[in-house]
Amino acid sequence: MATVEIRNLRKAYGALEVLHDISIGIADGEFLALVGPSGCGKSTLLRTIAGLEMINGGEIRIDDRAVDDLAPKDRDIAMVFQNYALYPHMDVAANMGFALRLAGRPKAEIGDRVGRAAAILDLSRELARKPAQLSGGQRQRVAMGRAIVRDPKVFLFDEPLSNLDAKLRVQMRAEIRELQQRLGTTTIYVTHDQVEAMTMADKIAVLSAGRLEQVGAPLDLYRAPANLFVAGFIGSPQMNFVTGDLAAKAGADTIGIRPEHLVVGRDGDGWRGRVVAAEHLGSDTFIHVEVPDAGRLTARTVGDMPVGSGDEVVLAPMAGHLHRFGADGRAIRD
Ligand SMILES: Nc1ncnc2c1ncn2[C@@H]1O[C@H](COP(=O)(O)OP(=O)(O)OP(=O)(O)O)[C@@H](O)[C@H]1O
Ligand SMILES: [Mg+2]
């Protein structure tokens, strides 16, 4: 168990600055999700923590000790990658015990630790099988097992579920979270899936183009995004943004309202517009409406709403759910 402290971290590849002045603190046992669009620097940040990349400035501390001059193997960290590449010719037990064998641990200890990890991961019956004889979810668990057997201070995950189909991903994310809580291991988890981040993490750090946009509890980011980027990134369907006169009237450069905070009616007060498309999911209806002066807005209603394109509707923003942003893109707080 350990704290992780990232202070004013900078990383460049030659002239290309990839991480700019990143500072994040992760408490002992905490699960931090690192999110952001492709190429924003998530893997790079993870790799600097693991010691797989040199840094150009700042500091990384694990358990209040600077690790800059420690080799990856001395940082007491276990990393699970997206392409976790199990050794195909080794059985599950050998795959899980590989790092321990490499470290020269005694055979009995390896057997013991692999056995315990396999029990935790429900892989006890698969220990003698080769990776090709496993399901995708079992293979994923073997990759987790390789990390667990080392009993590291910190787990680093880089999109570990992106190779799995949607249903298995949902199941595995619950399993990983449950396991992490049981073991109490400090975890940094990279994903570009914001639902994964919202459901798994104690805290989310949002990165964009190598800069840290906001760090906070999932619902804090949802309720009070610090800027336009975070507002647009967290939440699905995306927050609606409106500029121009409607925003100016609210004393903002841009106003934002989430689809679930627009009440759809046939008349009354609100923004009148014409439905251009309706997506009927059964559980929800996503209604896309063209509103003069506001543009295309999306509303989300629970259950099936009988609307179709061409219908005239009125969108009424729920009180207290309007977000205001200034010309610099930062949220304006009341
Ligand atoms: N070894 C390298 N040499 C030069 N540039 C690199 C290297 N590795 C990454 N980059 C660049 O650094 C930036 C950040 O890459 P990184 O892999 O950290 O992004 P990411 O957020 O993990 O993206 P993704 O979601 O696609 O995995 C990108 O512009 C990438 O092209
Ligand atoms: Mg990556």
Side-chain angles (χ1 to χ4, degrees):
M1 299 238 262
T3 58
V4 178
E5 192 73 36
I6 298 159
R7 290 186 190 158
N8 307 108
L9 182 79
R10 289 193 304 107
K11 167 71 187 167
Y13 291 110
L16 179 70
E17 291 265 350
V18 175
L19 297 173
H20 311 265
D21 196 28
I22 305 280
S23 298
I24 309 174
I26 303 142
D28 187 25
E30 202 165 44
F31 190 119
L32 176 92
L34 198 56
V35 301
S38 184
C40 72
K42 303 180 296 294
S43 296
T44 303
L45 180 54
L46 215 59
R47 290 170 61 81
T48 62
I49 298 166
L52 301 170
E53 298 283 352
M54 302 288 291
I55 60 177
N56 299 85
E59 192 177 49
I60 298 169
R61 300 180 78 81
I62 297 174
D63 250 357
D64 214 18
R65 171 170 175 225
V67 295
D68 306 19
D69 51 2
L70 287 186
K73 67 175 174 47
D74 298 324
R75 294 192 182 194
D76 210 354
I77 273 174
M79 191 153 167
V80 180
F81 297 92
Q82 171 179 350
N83 300 309
Y84 36 83
L86 303 176
Y87 299 107
H89 56 287
M90 289 184 197
D91 64 18
V92 168
N95 264 290
M96 280 169 59
F98 186 73
L100 299 177
R101 265 201 321 284
L102 216 58
R105 310 304 307 170
K107 242 189 165 141
E109 182 196 323
I110 297 174
D112 191 46
R113 284 164 79 164
V114 167
R116 262 184 292 150
I120 289 172
L121 293 161
D122 196 17
L123 286 170
S124 302
R125 287 181 310 278
E126 281 78 24
L127 282 173
R129 288 207 213 157
K130 299 278 169 58
Q133 300 166 298
L134 301 174
S135 71
Q138 287 170 331
R139 264 181 239 146
Q140 219 298 321
R141 270 185 260 143
V142 176
M144 297 269 305
R146 287 201 297 204
I148 292 172
V149 292
R150 296 170 52 198
D151 191 20
K153 282 185 175 164
V154 181
F155 285 139
L156 301 179
F157 291 99
D158 195 351
E159 311 220 21
L161 304 184
S162 49
N163 285 334
L164 305 180
D165 65 47
K167 190 170 167 214
L168 195 52
R169 215 157 53 217
V170 171
Q171 181 192 332
M172 284 303 298
R173 84 183 176 215
E175 283 184 22
I176 291 179
R177 178 57 171 158
E178 197 261 332
L179 182 69
Q180 187 270 342
Q181 280 177 332
R182 189 139 47 102
L183 299 174
T185 310
T186 309
T187 296
I188 305 175
Y189 187 102
V190 166
T191 177
H192 61 253
D193 180 339
Q194 54 102 11
V195 176
E196 213 164 277
M198 291 293 286
T199 53
M200 294 175 85
D202 297 310
K203 213 156 79 177
I204 298 178
V206 183
L207 273 187
S208 153
R211 288 178 207 283
L212 188 63
E213 298 284 349
Q214 192 172 3
V215 187
L219 287 179
D220 289 343
L221 265 56
Y222 174 86
R223 288 190 192 117
N227 54 47
L228 283 171
F229 183 84
V230 177
F233 194 80
I234 300 287
S236 177
Q238 221 194 24
M239 186 186 283
N240 297 293
F241 295 115
V242 178
T243 53
D245 287 350
L246 274 178
K249 260 190 260 169
D253 196 73
T254 304
I255 53 176
I257 180 93
R258 296 195 183 279
E260 53 272 39
H261 297 145
L262 283 172
V263 179
V264 183
R266 296 286 176 186
D267 42 40
D269 282 346
W271 300 328
R272 188 169 292 276
R274 193 170 289 282
V275 175
V276 287
E279 297 170 76
H280 299 274
L281 280 72
S283 58
D284 303 84
T285 311
F286 299 157
I287 305 161
H288 306 283
V289 182
E290 186 67 38
V291 177
D293 305 329
R296 181 78 56 93
L297 301 182
T298 301
R300 172 183 196 159
T301 63
V302 173
D304 191 39
M305 185 165 191
V307 288
S309 51
D311 290 1
E312 268 221 8
V313 293
V314 174
L315 304 177
M318 289 183 197
H321 288 286
L322 211 57
H323 300 262
R324 300 189 301 141
F325 303 92
D328 58 358
R330 305 199 64 76
I332 301 168
R333 300 266 175 255
D334 304 310

